[in-house]
Amino acid sequence: MPQSKTYVIIGGVAGGASAAARLRRLDEQAAIIMLDRGPYVSFANCGLPYHIAGDIAERDKLLVMTPERFEQRLAVDVRTRSEVTAIDPAAQTVSVTPAEGEPYTLHYDSLVLSPGAAPVRPPLPGIDDPRIHALRTIPDMDRILDRIDSAQASRAVVVGGGYIGLEMTEALRQRDLKVSLIELLPQVMAPADPEMVQPLHQELVAHGVDLRLETAVTGFAARGERVAVELGENAAIEADLVVLAIGVKPEVELARAAGLTIGERGGIVVDAQMRTSDPAIWAVGDAVEVEDLITGTPGVVPLAGPANRQGRIAADVICGRESSYRGTQGTAICRVFSQAIAMTGLSEKAAHRAGIACDKVYVHPLDHAGYYPGASQLSLKLLYASGDGRLLGAQAVGHAGVDKRIDVLAVAMRAGMTVYDLEHLELCYAPPFGSAKDPVNYAGFVAANALRGDVALYDPAAIDALGDDQVLLNVATEAELPLISLPGQLHVPLDNLRQQLDQLPRDKELVTFCASGLRSYLACRTLTQQGFRCRNLNGGMKAVRMHREPVPATPPASPAAASAPRSGAGATASTQPDDALQVDATGLQCPGPVLRLKQAVDQAATGQVIDIRATDPAFGQDIHAWCHSTGHELLDSEREGNVHRARIRKTDPEVDGAAMELRCDGRKALTIVVFSNDYDRVIAAFIIANGAATMGYRVTLFFTFWGITALRRDRPAQVRKTLMERMFGFMLPRGARKLALSQMHMLGMGKAMINGIMKQKGVEPLPGLIASATDAGVKLVVCTMSMDLMGFKREELLDEVEEGGVATYLDRAGEAGVNLFI
Ligand code: FAD
């Protein structure tokens, strides 16, 4: 009988435990010793946030396998609280320091390293405060729970908007804490493209999360029972606990000290058989560098699936089986309250970084048949090679069904499929589960149409960069215009298109658009065959919104905030009139719900309430805009899970008096056109605005031409601009602090004098006046046409600003009794 081997495994969780179990299945005779410095092995680290949230009620459920069960079932000698402090590759031994007892050495024939990755802890002032937590192990989780309970915590800060940061944000909100989520980048979930996470930003804010993007934590300071998270010079958030989730770093010190090769990305270098630079040592999981399936370049991808598979492969190879790892594609999913985002393969930004020429399509189909209750829209972005249509990556965001689509696409990518193959995939379908044309098929149709030259696509990211020879053609219906409109558009509803061809310019390229890109595709086909030059706006208005919708202001963070009535909530809102017209718009995607609402409003009697339910994610915002624009009264608007419910009272100008008064909630209204950017004039505008707001006026300031510069942020934003736009940006004042006086400016002396006098008299300086105005509900609307002319982008302006065109101004001015021009 051959002498039995000894296999030693360092790290007993995902990769290590998989390796141990597989080794035993393949080699009944071997001695298998699994060492972990922690008190548990084979626990569900992915489940930790869900236990904190309360979703997984029993802590023991996280212990997938105990040491005793490993011993009993697999005859694996599990040694917890046993840290490996050194490896001697020449002697084939490891040095072990147990928590109790004397250090010892162990001989191995084969060694598997699965030490994982450690949370990054930057050397910031105050970082060692015990109220700052990372989440990696069960003891970490216990400490967080203990802190929440013992401090009766009500306020938390999560630093980092990756998977763990997002899951912890949701968990802490579920436990009733106010949560600030601080992220250095302009987006959460860094591996995804920025427009694909825009719904997540909305979702976080809708659930009362204080979301701070592009914000750096500069340090921590103890403040009594709390810790202050410092955000630059004068800003800090006090919290009972802080969760630090800014990424992980491969644990490679043991391997490095043993002379194993460490790669440029900081992970242990392994070959396809997971063997390190030492022939008797294998390494798996978060600690290793893996080859990217698409680019072939090395990277570190800390995910549980790859770690488990690699553990199995290492065991196969150790036991003499042919097996090799086939690269990582980063397939991942994360839930953020009622939304989920999933992805596989390259993002658009990663493809650009890698220099891979790619094309993309956006589609916004329903997760299952629209006529079956509960359907909701998802947004899917598909990336493919510009020439042959080979799949490169995909991302999906929505309430339901994103996992299924991304999993299908992950398999298709593995199989080397193209967008043409997606057209032919046969996927399971019955109304509760999908559609006869699944979103994956649908994305394939759209991409293949583009590649075959049936339609040319226009990138929604470039919507503000239309050339002089291009014109937007909106083919949505009349009723959709309050929601689906872009500045400078021509409007011809699709159904009238053939009759109105003679009204369209033949010397320009028409960029057709509608809500999601389907009807505008039909328009494009008609126009192309009628001899027009035409492109279809990729993903329609929905994709434009995803690209440029600002992060919304955070509503109050009470747990009920996400479902609290947003407007007009009063006696009428709390009672359900018997004659309310029930409208089920679930399953309809934008603009379906508002079209359905319009039909219902047309049928309803004046004063009657329409109670509508919709699952379209944009409905919560759209309903406010629609009611404002049409004058009907929004009684309340709330979300339960993925269903948004709103109640609207039909108004009638003839009966109720001027519709405008209704729109003003009976309040007087004032508009000021701020044309000038003279410091004193802008101050005058804000003093009037603040005064009017305190007197109960509904105030709108409409900033046009030079006036826009008063609303610029102090710091430049990272935006793409033409040379001319950059010059404009350079020459014009950057924000309220930089404006000059209309007279007596005297190189700033006059302005300093005015500021001094204002201070003496207790008048706030201009930035303070602006903040007071927005706090008092004054609307700041910037003219989109002026922005376009002067090359200002939304990101360069204050968060509180809304965009609007002449129609918006006239809409507000029409309802106001006082209109001023400054
Ligand atoms: P680990 O599972 O981290 O195990 C490493 C073990 O090695 C640790 O127990 C450590 O104590 C031990 N160790 C290290 N050095 C030594 C030493 N010198 N001596 C003895 N023992 C040592 N991935 C997903 O795909 N989906 C998810 O939803 C997901 N959610 C997550 C949520 C959280 C909170 C966390 C922390 C991770 C999550 N992950 C998720 C990532 C996933 O858990 C990891 O990718 C996976 O566990 C990596 O496996 P591993 O074996 O490489 O390392």
Side-chain angles (χ1 to χ4, degrees), residues 10-17 35-38 40 43 45-50 82-85 114-117 135-137 163-164 167 248 251 254 284-287 301-308 331-333:
I10 303 175
V13 191
L35 302 149
D36 201 294
R37 65 177 164 217
Y40 303 98
F43 63 88
N45 34 16
C46 308
L48 302 180
Y50 300 99
S82 301
E83 176 155 17
V84 177
T85 51
S114 190
L135 180 63
R136 182 185 180 191
T137 61
Y163 301 92
I164 296 178
E167 287 171 359
V248 294
E251 288 228 19
L254 261 186
V284 302
D286 289 0
V301 183
L303 289 171
N308 278 281
T331 308
I333 186 162

Side-chain angles (χ1 to χ4, degrees), residues 292-640:
D292 184 273
L293 181 73
I294 305 292
T295 62
T297 52
V300 282
V301 183
L303 289 171
N308 278 281
R309 290 199 306 282
Q310 291 161 6
R312 187 182 158 93
I313 289 166
D316 279 353
V317 176
I318 289 168
C319 295
R321 295 206 171 190
E322 295 266 313
S323 189
S324 54
Y325 189 65
R326 301 182 185 180
T328 288
Q329 60 195 108
T331 308
I333 186 162
C334 180
R335 188 184 78 184
V336 181
F337 298 99
S338 71
Q339 298 257 356
I341 186 162
M343 63 204 78
T344 188
L346 295 183
S347 62
E348 189 178 357
K349 57 190 177 188
H352 286 163
R353 271 200 304 271
I356 296 176
C358 69
D359 286 329
K360 62 182 172 189
V361 292
Y362 297 94
V363 293
H364 313 285
L366 295 173
D367 72 304
H368 64 250
Y371 56 83
Y372 187 86
S376 67
Q377 192 181 31
L378 57 90
S379 291
L380 175 62
K381 176 177 183 178
L382 186 70
L383 283 144
Y384 50 95
S386 297
D388 59 8
R390 186 172 56 98
L391 298 178
L392 298 176
Q395 297 158 59
V397 60
H399 291 286
V402 299
D403 51 344
K404 167 170 158 171
R405 275 68 201 204
I406 292 299
D407 276 348
V408 168
L409 288 164
V411 174
M413 270 179 64
R414 273 268 160 205
M417 288 186 184
T418 66
V419 297
Y420 305 111
D421 295 315
L422 299 186
E423 295 183 288
H424 298 283
L425 289 187
E426 188 175 307
L427 303 171
C428 57
Y429 160 62
F433 304 103
S435 302
K437 283 181 205 148
D438 190 85
V440 172
N441 300 127
Y442 180 40
F445 296 142
V446 178
N449 285 341
L451 277 182
R452 289 190 187 105
D454 290 342
V455 64
L457 296 174
Y458 189 86
D459 186 351
I463 194 68
D464 297 320
L466 284 173
D468 291 342
D469 64 338
Q470 291 176 312
V471 63
L472 285 164
L473 175 62
N474 184 349
V475 298
T477 60
E478 200 77 38
E480 293 171 76
L481 287 183
L483 299 175
I484 298 169
S485 279
L486 286 166
Q489 68 185 18
L490 301 173
H491 175 232
V492 179
L494 176 66
D495 293 343
N496 304 357
L497 188 63
R498 289 190 183 82
Q499 294 75 48
Q500 295 187 15
L501 289 176
D502 54 344
Q503 295 168 20
L504 297 175
R506 286 192 177 268
D507 59 335
K508 298 206 186 268
E509 182 176 62
L510 298 167
V511 177
T512 56
F513 75 99
C514 62
S516 67
L518 176 59
R519 284 169 294 162
S520 51
Y521 162 65
L522 303 178
C524 223
R525 290 296 303 151
T526 300
L527 290 165
T528 309
Q529 292 176 68
Q530 293 283 353
F532 288 85
R533 279 189 303 133
C534 188
R535 278 174 190 274
N536 187 22
L537 181 62
N538 194 348
M541 190 70 196
K542 170 107 184 150
V544 171
R545 281 183 174 175
M546 289 169 74
H547 275 89
R548 67 180 189 189
E549 203 112 291
V551 176
T554 303
S558 77
S563 59
R566 291 212 189 130
S567 78
T572 35
S574 58
T575 54
Q576 171 66 57
D578 293 340
D579 65 346
L581 213 61
Q582 302 293 329
V583 179
D584 179 8
T586 55
L588 298 179
Q589 50 186 296
C590 176
V594 282
L595 292 179
R596 191 61 72 77
L597 175 60
K598 174 149 190 329
Q599 287 164 2
V601 167
D602 289 346
Q603 286 166 18
T606 299
Q608 193 174 4
V609 171
I610 295 100
D611 187 343
I612 180 167
R613 285 174 171 72
T615 43
D616 174 34
F619 184 70
Q621 286 163 290
D622 288 351
I623 188 64
H624 285 265
W626 190 86
C627 286
H628 183 261
S629 168
T630 56
H632 298 294
E633 187 182 3
L634 181 59
L635 297 176
D636 53 27
S637 163
E638 63 184 327
R639 200 162 73 185
E640 294 153 9

Side-chain angles (χ1 to χ4, degrees), residues 153-332:
S154 61
R155 191 81 178 81
V157 172
V158 176
V159 186
Y163 301 92
I164 296 178
L166 288 169
E167 287 171 359
M168 278 307 297
T169 297
E170 179 178 342
L172 294 168
R173 282 298 288 136
Q174 272 185 237
R175 292 192 61 106
D176 240 6
L177 274 78
K178 290 182 186 170
V179 184
S180 297
L181 174 59
I182 316 290
E183 169 57 58
L184 188 62
L185 298 175
Q187 66 167 94
V188 298
M189 194 57 96
D193 287 322
E195 74 280 13
M196 298 306 289
V197 302
Q198 189 269 347
L200 303 186
H201 294 165
Q202 307 276 354
E203 184 75 6
L204 287 161
V205 171
H207 282 81
V209 175
D210 168 29
L211 175 62
R212 314 248 185 133
L213 299 174
E214 297 182 86
T215 303
V217 172
T218 51
F220 304 92
R223 296 249 176 99
E225 293 298 301
R226 286 185 154 181
V227 57
V229 181
E230 292 169 343
L231 311 169
E233 269 175 23
N234 294 320
I237 306 171
E238 285 187 21
D240 299 302
L241 81 154
V242 176
V243 176
L244 201 59
I246 55 174
V248 294
K249 198 165 154 271
E251 288 228 19
V252 296
E253 289 321 311
L254 261 186
R256 195 193 301 278
L260 303 183
T261 306
I262 307 298
E264 277 177 18
R265 307 299 306 274
I268 304 170
V269 172
V270 290
D271 62 15
Q273 283 69 46
M274 307 313 299
R275 201 187 310 250
T276 67
S277 52
D278 184 289
I281 306 178
W282 281 255
V284 302
D286 289 0
V288 304
E289 288 190 358
V290 286
E291 193 173 277
D292 184 273
L293 181 73
I294 305 292
T295 62
T297 52
V300 282
V301 183
L303 289 171
N308 278 281
R309 290 199 306 282
Q310 291 161 6
R312 187 182 158 93
I313 289 166
D316 279 353
V317 176
I318 289 168
C319 295
R321 295 206 171 190
E322 295 266 313
S323 189
S324 54
Y325 189 65
R326 301 182 185 180
T328 288
Q329 60 195 108
T331 308

Side-chain angles (χ1 to χ4, degrees), residues 636-697:
D636 53 27
S637 163
E638 63 184 327
R639 200 162 73 185
E640 294 153 9
N642 71 344
V643 178
H644 200 107
R645 179 184 173 202
R647 295 188 314 138
I648 296 99
R649 188 167 73 87
K650 176 171 175 169
T651 57
D652 183 346
E654 301 286 318
V655 177
D656 289 0
M660 301 312 165
E661 279 176 20
L662 281 169
R663 286 192 226 174
C664 300
D665 309 329
R667 287 196 282 152
K668 291 174 282 186
L670 158 73
T671 71
I672 305 178
V673 176
V674 185
F675 175 85
S676 164
N677 65 355
D678 292 333
Y679 188 63
D680 37 356
R681 291 197 166 100
V682 179
I683 285 182
F686 274 98
I687 288 177
I688 298 169
N690 278 317
T694 56
M695 289 164 63
Y697 277 75

